[in-house]
């Protein structure tokens, strides 16, 4: 401890045990910030103290919305699409809406689809038969479970559900419908023989590539040689 007689102030020199262990930064935490204002103006510190209350209010709002819309589903039906780019193309997700070709295959018009909770994307184009068949199956299964209420009273028109099914209709609970389960086919490992070990895959690929690239030139030369032989 170091003391100065004029000011009668004593300062305790820091001990080695008071410092941090190892080669770390010296503690220098700032716990005296003024949260509202300071000499440099307002600090605008953002807090999130109402997070638990907001979570509860959102849940109650969703429940009241579902009760007001009942028996109409709150969420819409979306197609299953492949993610873009080579990095993520093996993954699937829910798309923006069903294409016009998918709706046509399921015998649903785009105008009717928008009224029964089916998302429509007129810009989307199917590039594979597998995705087209998968989304058509989703539409058909949704249409089989769909219950269409008459617009005015009990007067049912063409396309409306029967009165007996309307009375026993129930609202779909949860997000409709969930992503289909992806089935991975089983595969077996083949034994590696001596022929596989001696084969050079790189040279084989280069040979096939050159053959395809020079196919037209070789065909032209062969045609010229055949013409010279005839002459």
């Amino acid at each position: 401890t170091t003391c100065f007689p004029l000011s009668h102030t004593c300062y305790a020199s820091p001990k080695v045990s008071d410092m941090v262990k190892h080669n770390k930064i010296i503690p220098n935490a700032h716990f005296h910030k003024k949260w509202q204002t300071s000499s440099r103006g307002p600090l605008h510190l953002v807090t999130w103290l109402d997070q638990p209350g907001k979570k509860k209010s959102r849940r109650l709002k969703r429940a009241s919305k579902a009760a007001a819309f009942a028996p109409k589903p709150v969420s819409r039906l979306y197609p299953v699409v492949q993610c873009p780019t080579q990095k993520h193309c093996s993954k699937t997700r829910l798309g923006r809406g069903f294409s016009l070709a998918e709706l046509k295959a399921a015998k649903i018009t785009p105008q009717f689809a928008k009224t029964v909770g089916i998302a429509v994307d007129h810009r989307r184009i199917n590039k594979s038969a597998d995705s087209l068949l998968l989304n058509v199956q989703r539409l058909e299964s949704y249409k089989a479970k769909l219950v269409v209420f008459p617009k005015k009273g009990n007067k049912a028109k063409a396309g409306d559900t029967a009165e007996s099914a309307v009375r026993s209709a129930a609202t779909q609970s949860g997000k409709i419908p969930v992503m289909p389960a992806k089935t991975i086919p089983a595969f077996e490992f083949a034994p590696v023989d001596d022929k596989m070990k001696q084969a050079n895959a790189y040279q084989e690929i280069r040979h096939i590539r050159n053959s395809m690239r020079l196919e037209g030139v070789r065909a032209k030369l062969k045609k010229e040689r055949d013409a010279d032989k005839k002459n």
Side-chain angles (χ1 to χ4, degrees), residues 2 21 25 30 47 78 86 90 113 132 210 213 230:
T2 305
K21 293 183 179 180
I25 189 172
H30 300 266
T47 60
Y78 295 97
Q86 292 182 352
S90 61
L132 176 65
N210 290 331
R213 184 169 60 89
K230 291 181 180 179

Side-chain angles (χ1 to χ4, degrees), residues 106-178:
K107 298 180 181 180
I108 300 175
T109 60
Q111 294 78 10
F112 178 74
K114 294 178 181 179
T115 61
V116 293
I118 299 176
V120 181
D121 186 9
H122 65 278
R123 294 166 294 187
R124 185 166 153 265
I125 299 173
N126 294 96
K127 295 186 178 180
S128 66
D130 296 337
S131 64
L132 176 65
L133 181 61
L134 176 62
N135 289 319
V136 169
Q137 291 176 354
R138 284 171 64 84
L139 287 171
E140 289 177 351
S141 62
Y142 181 80
K143 188 169 64 173
K145 301 175 184 178
L146 185 65
V147 178
V148 181
F149 283 69
K151 288 184 177 181
K152 296 182 179 179
N154 298 326
K155 296 180 180 179
K157 295 183 179 180
D160 294 342
T161 310
E163 185 178 356
S164 58
V166 169
R167 292 178 180 177
S168 60
T171 306
Q172 175 73 34
S173 60
K175 191 174 183 179
I176 58 160
V178 295

Side-chain angles (χ1 to χ4, degrees), residues 178-190:
V178 295
M179 289 282 291
K182 189 175 182 180
T183 57
I184 301 176
F187 57 90
E188 298 180 357
F189 291 97

Side-chain angles (χ1 to χ4, degrees), residues 15-29:
K15 299 179 182 179
V16 179
S17 60
D18 295 339
M19 299 299 292
V20 294
K21 293 183 179 180
H22 312 294
N23 188 20
K24 296 181 179 179
I25 189 172
I26 298 175
N28 189 21

Side-chain angles (χ1 to χ4, degrees), residues 4-73:
F4 298 92
L6 297 177
S7 59
H8 302 286
T9 305
C10 295
Y11 296 94
S13 58
K15 299 179 182 179
V16 179
S17 60
D18 295 339
M19 299 299 292
V20 294
K21 293 183 179 180
H22 312 294
N23 188 20
K24 296 181 179 179
I25 189 172
I26 298 175
N28 189 21
H30 300 266
F31 295 117
H32 295 282
K33 287 182 180 290
K34 295 181 180 179
W35 283 49
Q36 299 298 328
T37 58
S38 67
S39 59
R40 293 168 286 122
L43 294 178
H44 300 294
L45 296 180
V46 180
T47 60
W48 199 27
L49 303 177
D50 59 344
Q51 190 268 340
K54 288 290 185 180
K55 180 181 179 181
K56 182 179 179 181
S57 62
R58 287 194 300 269
R59 179 174 57 82
L60 296 176
K61 190 174 181 180
R62 287 194 299 268
S64 62
K65 184 178 179 181
F69 280 20
K72 179 181 178 181

